[in-house]
Amino acid sequence: MRPLFTQLLGGAVLASACAGIFAAEHEAVLRPFNLAPSADLHYTLKARQKGLALAGEAQVTWRAGDGKYSLVNETRAQMLGKILESRSEGTVDTYGIAPAQFVEKRFRKEATTATFDRGAKTLSFSAGKDTFPLLGGEQDRSSAQWQLAALARAQPDKFTPGSEWRLFVAGRKDAQPWSFKVIKREKIATGLGEVEAVHLSKAPPPGDKDQTVDLWLAPGHDWYPVQLRYSDEEGEFIEQTVDKINKK
């Protein structure tokens, strides 16, 4: 299996699969949303890769206003330097965050672009030949966690244990449905102190070796993503935990 660092995303991790199956599962759902206020968030990072413990940091710049948004992520690891940089930008429509373009540059890899052509209603990729229809509500791997935060801010009473939240998510060269299940409310240790957060998890489908994505959203901090964890069946993981939030 490739190291998790080569698969790290600004919010999530994605594996290739059958485009026809994904298209069949693609649906548009109108739900209430309320975007989180603009902010700069800084995270500490820890990971285990091939038996080695690594540390680092991540900086996320989130801006939303006047019907537009932008989301920039930079992740650095000790000894390796910058391992990921991504940018998601677009508009806000009736479904919430509506990406126009998602650019991701991974460690020692060429940058890739996912293009959400709203005029042609088509999602395409610079690194892949698959295309998908834009039906409404589609996200990229960075914007997905912020769309979940927007949904939670609009209807916090529905983010109860066992509830599921489905998104159609674009990656480097294809897209697929993601299903996040609310696990529970729990307290986590952060650089801000102990924070109560809603824990959501996206597990891979049965028989799939994709990574598990865990996300913690903090109701007491505008539902910002305060912790993210990407893990695989071999025990390797990447975890980033917030230590600073500066609203803009």
Side-chain angles (χ1 to χ4, degrees):
M1 181 178 293
R2 292 175 295 167
L4 276 174
F5 269 130
T6 68
Q7 303 177 56
L8 178 64
L9 45 121
V13 183
L14 197 57
S16 298
C18 175
I21 294 176
F22 292 165
E25 297 180 6
H26 185 184
E27 59 181 353
V29 181
L30 279 170
R31 294 171 287 205
F33 67 90
N34 179 10
L35 297 187
S38 297
D40 294 336
L41 297 90
H42 185 270
Y43 299 81
T44 57
L45 182 145
K46 62 180 180 180
R48 179 169 297 278
Q49 298 289 292
K50 296 184 176 179
L52 296 176
L54 299 174
E57 62 180 354
Q59 179 72 37
V60 173
T61 302
W62 162 255
R63 297 290 184 271
D66 298 324
K68 300 179 180 179
Y69 85 93
S70 66
L71 179 58
V72 179
N73 175 74
E74 289 190 0
T75 304
R76 298 177 180 272
Q78 291 178 358
M79 299 183 292
L80 296 176
K82 187 183 295 185
I83 58 172
L84 176 78
E85 54 184 322
S86 65
R87 182 177 186 88
S88 172
E89 55 188 0
T91 60
V92 179
D93 64 15
T94 55
Y95 291 91
I97 296 173
Q101 188 178 74
F102 173 59
V103 180
E104 182 180 87
K105 173 69 173 68
R106 299 183 182 184
F107 183 61
R108 295 178 179 174
K109 300 288 185 180
E110 294 294 323
T112 60
T113 302
T115 301
F116 299 73
D117 188 331
R118 300 292 165 180
K121 296 185 177 180
T122 302
L123 170 59
S124 60
F125 307 86
S126 64
K129 296 181 180 180
D130 291 336
T131 60
F132 299 84
L134 291 180
L135 305 180
E138 296 84 3
Q139 302 299 319
D140 59 57
R141 297 186 299 186
S142 287
S143 68
Q145 59 189 281
W146 291 85
Q147 176 73 355
L148 285 169
L151 296 175
R153 284 169 53 82
Q155 44 194 343
D157 57 321
K158 294 188 180 298
F159 272 67
T160 55
S163 63
E164 291 192 45
W165 301 85
R166 300 177 183 274
L167 301 173
F168 193 70
V169 181
R172 295 179 63 247
K173 54 186 178 181
D174 59 17
Q176 72 177 117
W178 281 16
S179 179
F180 280 89
K181 179 177 287 188
V182 176
I183 306 301
K184 61 180 179 179
R185 285 201 177 208
E186 57 189 79
K187 292 183 178 180
I188 60 173
T190 77
L192 304 176
E194 193 173 66
V195 172
E196 184 176 271
V198 175
H199 178 191
L200 300 94
S201 183
K202 182 200 80 72
D208 195 326
K209 293 187 177 181
D210 194 8
Q211 283 71 45
T212 296
V213 181
D214 288 282
L215 170 66
W216 286 262
L217 301 174
H221 292 273
D222 288 298
W223 290 86
Y224 289 126
V226 291
Q227 187 165 274
L228 299 147
R229 182 182 175 93
Y230 316 120
S231 56
D232 65 24
E233 60 184 9
E234 297 181 355
E236 296 195 344
F237 71 90
I238 299 170
E239 182 177 281
Q240 60 186 59
T241 305
V242 75
D243 62 358
K244 296 178 184 177
I245 299 176
N246 294 317
K247 293 185 183 180
K248 299 295 181 178

